[in-house]
């Protein structure tokens, strides 16, 4: 802001390009304007709106269109939800699922990242290309393929499990014939397959980011540690990990946020919103709001709870990024 | 010995990552008798394009063809890419090239809005779309996806703009170029690869999106491909050959785009992650 006061008439008279540049103060705001408008209308306004809607009884589209009034119910939607044992089950499912998926994705992604860094050039390119394939595949089609693999009659998984020696299969799983077995009917198994699908989709991003992080830090330190007799485990925890800590922090937070709101994979694997035993917060909110009879108010309350949880995670993320910004 | 172990692990990872994609394409090329055979064949013995012909000539949903849905999706995705690229470039230039009072505030805002669970916004956005009279129209999706893709697009482009040496612009300025000329002739061409990489993200966001398309569009003729495929899939879940052919056609543009810019995208992502 000092540039404005500095730029007096006298200074302007012997204006150089460098000086001219310092004076354009409104320009950045102009450049930001469209972006800010869009964010305000399409993200911030709905965010406020969903909180507001959660305090009303909204059970018809006509209310949304503004043709009918909105009865204020205060915290009734929240008391209804929080008092519902089913909601607590959904909440537990969501948290457990997110934690398991973040941990698995981070471990697998980091291992693959470290592996890619150690492989020879040709092999690394080959493996990285395959990993990219999993990343590039849309959640929708990726999930459809996994669903085909777990098809109960001609699926590859069904065939593979049928191939297991009968004795072993019976001892481990209590059955030897898997044909016609409903892979998605048991909630625990459903979540296991969902985890497989989600981890398959999300480990590539972690792997590639870790690899890029590894490439951006000098490898001399790791080599020096190795020369000093440190094992691979020690090198990772004492040298590599501290250097990559900022990247890891961001990756963990991003994964947490993504895994908390998995929707497409869940929707496709469960074949819609009928199977309540496999609900997690985002699909629960959606089903309450849009499955007839619509309950937009109740759905909003669930959405607000999901948002609040993610807000806490976001707070951690923002602090982390800002600290980095300060350091650099 | 160690090398063998490493390469073996590499092969396992490659197999795990690529196999489902391979299986999708392989299944789409198998005749039905191979698809439903008791023993799955790793490679199609008699590859056929019959499932592709089925999808491309027949109707995915009564009265509407695959091509219609494909075009709906393409239209929505391209419009989203163009609009968000334009707006993001302006905003990224602002934060990468200027120090101004609200810069940090804006960056925090970008971070925070990126974290808003979009799934939680489907109800209020449905309200907005209803009130604007956009229910059942493709612009309802373009608008929504624009909001979703923008924060990340700005975040990503910011790294690319910052990576262009400022000296180049200063040199142009000294040579008498105006601010607008400098942007147009020096900065933009150099940022173009970053813009392409960013566009891929916007494209993929719009191309893959399911929930909002499911909620905002009721008219079958305006379904995007993901929605159509969900219905197609639910209608007859034994037609795996056609399902896989449709999935392959849906996935192909995404993978092609992705591979085209893969290297740039990685550096773009890392610019975001490392520089914060």
């Amino acid at each position: 802001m000092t540039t404005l006061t500095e730029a007096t008439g006298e200074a302007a008279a012997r204006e150089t390009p460098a000086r001219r540049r310092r004076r354009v103060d409104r320009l950045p705001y102009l450049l930001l304007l469209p972006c800010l408008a869009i964010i305000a209308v399409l993200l911030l306004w709905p965010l406020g709106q969903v909180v507001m809607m959660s305090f009303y009884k909204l059970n018809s589209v006509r209310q949304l269109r503004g043709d009918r009034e909105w009865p204020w119910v205060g915290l009734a939607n929240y008391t209804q939800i929080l008092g519902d044992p089913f909601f607590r089950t959904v909440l537990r499912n969501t948290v457990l699922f997110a934690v398991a998926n973040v941990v698995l994705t981070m471990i697998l992604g980091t291992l693959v990242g470290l592996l890619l860094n150690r492989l020879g050039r040709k092999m690394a390119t080959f493996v990285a290309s395959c990993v990219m394939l999993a990343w590039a595949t849309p959640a929708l089609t990726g999930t459809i393929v996994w669903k085909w693999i777990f098809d109960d009659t001609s699926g590859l998984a069904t065939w593979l499990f049928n191939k297991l020696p009968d004795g072993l299969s019976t001892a481990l799983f209590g059955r030897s014939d898997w044909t016609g077995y409903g892979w998605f009917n048991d909630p625990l198994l459903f979540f296991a397959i969902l985890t497989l699908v989600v981890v398959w989709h999300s480990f590539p991003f972690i792997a590639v980011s870790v690899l890029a992080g590894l490439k951006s830090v000098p490898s001399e330190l790791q080599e020096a540690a190795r020369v000093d007799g440190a094992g691979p485990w020690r090198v990772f925890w004492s040298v590599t990990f501290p250097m990559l800590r900022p990247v890891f922090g961001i990756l963990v937070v991003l994964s947490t946020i993504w895994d908390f709101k998995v929707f497409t994979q869940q929707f496709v694997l469960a074949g819609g919103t009928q199977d309540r035993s496999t609900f997690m917060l985002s699909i629960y909110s959606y089903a309450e709001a849009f499955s007839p009879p619509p309950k937009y108010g109740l759905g909003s309350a669930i959405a607000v709870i999901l948002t609040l949880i993610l807000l806490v995670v976001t707070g951690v993320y923002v602090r982390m990024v800002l600290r980095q910004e300060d350091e650099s | 010995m160690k090398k063998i172990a490493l390469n073996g692990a590499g092969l396992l990872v490659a197999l795990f990552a690529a196999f489902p994609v391979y299986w999708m394409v392989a299944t789409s090329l198998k005749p039905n008798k191979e698809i439903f055979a008791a023993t799955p064949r790793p490679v199609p013995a008699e590859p056929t394009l019959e499932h592709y012909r089925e999808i491309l000539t027949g109707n995915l949903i009564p009265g509407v063809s695959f091509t219609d849905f494909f075009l709906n999706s393409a239209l929505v995705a391209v419009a989203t890419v163009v609009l968000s690229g334009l707006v993001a470039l302006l905003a990224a230039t602002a934060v990468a090239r200027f120090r101004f009072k609200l810069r940090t505030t804006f960056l925090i805002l970008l971070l925070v809005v990126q974290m808003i669970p979009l799934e939680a916004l489907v109800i209020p956005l449905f309200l907005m779309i209803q009130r604007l009279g956009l229910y059942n129209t493709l612009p309802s999706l373009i608008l929504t996806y624009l909001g979703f893709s923008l924060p990340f697009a700005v975040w990503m482009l910011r790294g690319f703009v910052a990576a262009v040496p400022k000296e180049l612009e200063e040199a142009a300025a000294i040579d008498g170029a105006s601010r607008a000329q400098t942007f147009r002739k020096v900065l933009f061409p150099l940022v173009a690869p970053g813009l392409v990489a960013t566009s891929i993200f916007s494209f993929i966001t719009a191309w893959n999106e399911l929930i909002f398309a499911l909620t905002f569009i009721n008219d079958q003729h305006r379904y995007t491909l993901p929605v159509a495929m969900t219905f197609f899939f639910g209608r007859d879940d034994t037609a795996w050959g056609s399902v896989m052919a449709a999935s392959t056609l849906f996935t192909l543009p995404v993978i092609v785009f992705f591979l085209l810019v893969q290297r740039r995208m990685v550096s773009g992502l890392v610019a975001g992650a490392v520089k914060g």
Side-chain angles (χ1 to χ4, degrees):
Chain A
M1 280 289 112
T2 48
T3 44
L4 262 186
T5 45
E6 266 174 28
T8 55
E10 198 195 348
R14 36 187 181 84
E15 194 171 65
T16 64
R19 200 173 281 273
R20 196 164 64 213
R21 161 165 312 185
R22 287 164 67 202
R23 262 185 48 206
V24 279
D25 262 333
R26 268 179 319 182
L27 188 56
Y29 293 101
L30 268 174
L31 294 173
L32 283 188
L33 200 62
C35 180
L36 281 174
I38 289 168
I39 288 176
V41 173
L42 291 170
L43 296 167
L44 297 180
W45 182 84
L47 192 63
Q49 198 71 30
V50 74
V51 175
M52 209 183 86
M53 290 169 90
S54 71
F55 296 118
Y56 288 90
K57 186 175 184 205
L58 293 172
N59 291 346
S60 82
V61 182
R62 291 170 123 190
Q63 285 176 311
L64 292 194
R65 284 202 209 108
D67 298 344
R68 272 200 207 156
E69 59 173 305
W70 294 17
W72 170 271
V73 292
L75 291 171
N77 287 326
Y78 290 95
T79 46
Q80 187 186 335
I81 281 294
L82 294 172
D84 186 352
F86 180 64
F87 172 78
R88 287 196 287 268
T89 311
V90 172
L91 184 63
R92 194 202 58 200
N93 287 351
T94 314
V95 173
L96 288 178
F97 176 83
V99 170
N101 278 267
V102 169
V103 170
L104 288 172
T105 309
M106 285 305 298
I107 292 177
L108 182 63
T110 306
L111 286 176
V112 173
L114 291 167
L115 178 69
L116 286 172
N117 200 35
R118 297 287 301 278
L119 287 173
R121 240 187 101 198
K122 271 187 193 155
M123 192 64 186
T125 312
F126 171 71
V127 177
S129 307
C130 291
V131 166
M132 289 284 180
L133 223 50
W135 186 11
T137 305
L140 176 79
T141 47
T143 313
I144 291 178
V145 180
W146 281 105
K147 199 166 174 171
W148 161 226
I149 290 174
F150 283 95
D151 181 65
D152 60 357
T153 46
S154 313
L156 201 60
T158 306
W159 175 79
L160 265 174
F161 275 81
N162 273 336
K163 279 282 147 199
L164 285 177
D166 284 1
L168 181 69
S169 181
T170 314
L172 282 176
F173 309 106
R175 65 184 304 135
S176 58
D177 179 18
W178 295 84
T179 306
Y181 181 69
W183 291 99
F184 305 103
N185 294 345
D186 172 20
L188 199 62
L189 201 51
F190 177 91
F191 279 116
I193 297 174
L194 186 62
T195 299
L196 177 67
V197 178
V198 169
V199 169
W200 176 74
H201 264 130
S202 47
F203 88 90
F205 170 67
I206 309 295
V208 167
S209 303
V210 168
L211 176 66
L214 286 170
K215 293 227 158 116
S216 73
V217 294
S219 58
E220 286 81 11
L221 282 173
Q222 284 140 298
E223 273 158 35
R226 230 169 272 141
V227 169
D228 287 349
W233 193 247
R234 187 70 203 275
V235 173
F236 178 75
W237 282 115
S238 307
V239 183
T240 315
F241 183 76
M243 283 191 295
L244 292 181
R245 198 195 301 269
V247 181
F248 275 117
I250 288 168
L251 293 179
V252 167
V253 176
L254 286 176
S255 307
T256 308
I257 288 165
W258 291 334
D259 291 347
F260 247 100
K261 50 182 203 187
V262 162
F263 186 96
T264 302
Q265 290 97 330
Q266 156 110 50
F267 187 89
V268 174
L269 274 195
T273 57
Q274 317 305 323
D275 186 4
R276 288 168 67 87
S277 64
T278 59
F279 271 11
M280 292 196 287
L281 283 181
S282 63
I283 203 154
Y284 185 30
S285 160
Y286 185 85
E288 285 296 324
F290 294 102
S291 311
K295 295 193 270 297
Y296 304 110
L298 208 61
S300 298
I302 301 169
V304 169
I305 294 169
L306 173 65
T307 310
L308 284 176
I309 295 174
L310 292 183
L311 214 62
V312 175
V313 185
T314 305
V316 177
Y317 175 62
V318 172
R319 270 187 45 193
M320 215 145 56
V321 173
L322 287 181
R323 201 177 307 148
Q324 259 175 264
E325 193 103 322
D326 284 346
E327 279 166 13
S328 62
Chain B
M1 196 47 215
K2 202 169 174 187
K3 193 147 191 194
I4 293 171
L6 280 177
N7 283 336
L11 283 177
L12 268 178
V13 170
L15 185 72
F16 172 61
F19 180 76
V21 182
Y22 167 75
W23 200 237
M24 170 175 76
V25 179
T27 307
S28 76
L29 295 172
K30 289 177 183 173
N32 274 330
K33 66 173 193 302
E34 276 182 52
I35 292 180
F36 300 108
T39 308
R41 284 185 167 280
V43 181
E46 300 163 36
T48 167
L49 291 173
E50 94 183 70
H51 301 299
Y52 288 91
R53 196 179 41 78
E54 260 163 43
I55 295 193
L56 291 172
T57 55
N59 286 337
L60 209 57
I61 285 176
V64 202
S65 72
F66 182 88
T67 341
D68 295 334
F69 298 125
F70 198 92
L71 288 176
N72 286 343
S73 272
L75 181 75
V76 169
V78 169
T80 306
V81 163
V82 171
L83 290 172
S84 93
L86 211 66
V87 176
L89 184 56
L90 298 180
T93 308
V95 283
R97 278 294 185 259
F98 299 90
R99 305 280 139 184
F100 51 98
K101 216 175 168 185
L102 295 175
R103 184 175 169 273
T104 314
T105 317
F106 177 72
L107 288 176
I108 295 175
L109 177 77
L110 271 191
L111 285 176
V112 174
V113 296
Q114 265 185 72
M115 301 306 146
I116 296 176
L118 303 173
E119 291 73 8
L121 298 189
V122 63
I123 306 171
L125 282 168
F126 182 63
L127 164 88
M128 183 158 96
I129 294 305
Q130 287 280 348
R131 295 244 166 121
L132 289 174
L134 289 177
Y135 181 66
N136 238 339
T137 65
L138 293 180
S140 74
L141 298 181
I142 297 170
L143 200 66
T144 317
Y145 300 164
L146 174 63
F148 296 175
S149 59
L150 193 57
F152 187 68
V154 177
W155 195 253
M156 200 174 152
L157 260 182
R158 169 189 171 232
F160 283 104
V161 176
V164 174
K166 222 170 174 170
E167 289 72 27
L168 289 175
E169 284 166 69
E170 277 163 5
I174 287 166
D175 289 346
S178 75
R179 194 79 225 182
Q181 279 174 322
T182 319
F183 279 166
R184 213 173 54 236
K185 299 206 169 138
V186 181
L187 185 61
F188 291 173
L190 289 168
V191 169
L195 200 57
V196 172
T198 311
S199 298
I200 301 294
F201 269 97
S202 307
F203 179 87
I204 292 175
T205 306
W207 185 257
N208 293 348
E209 205 286 323
L210 177 67
I211 321 170
F212 288 85
L214 206 61
T215 317
F216 294 171
I217 308 288
N218 194 28
D219 178 354
Q220 296 195 339
H221 291 90
R222 299 205 184 104
Y223 278 172
T224 55
L225 207 42
V227 181
M229 282 175 57
T230 328
F231 278 90
F232 175 57
F233 185 71
R235 193 193 53 182
D236 184 3
D237 61 0
T238 52
W240 281 110
S242 305
V243 171
M244 287 301 127
S247 298
T248 305
L249 289 177
F250 179 78
T251 309
L252 216 62
V254 179
I255 290 185
V256 168
F257 271 138
F258 204 93
L259 295 182
L260 275 179
V261 292
Q262 126 192 14
R263 213 159 281 171
R264 281 169 188 152
M265 187 152 52
V266 174
S267 58
L269 269 172
V270 176
V274 176
K275 284 178 195 155

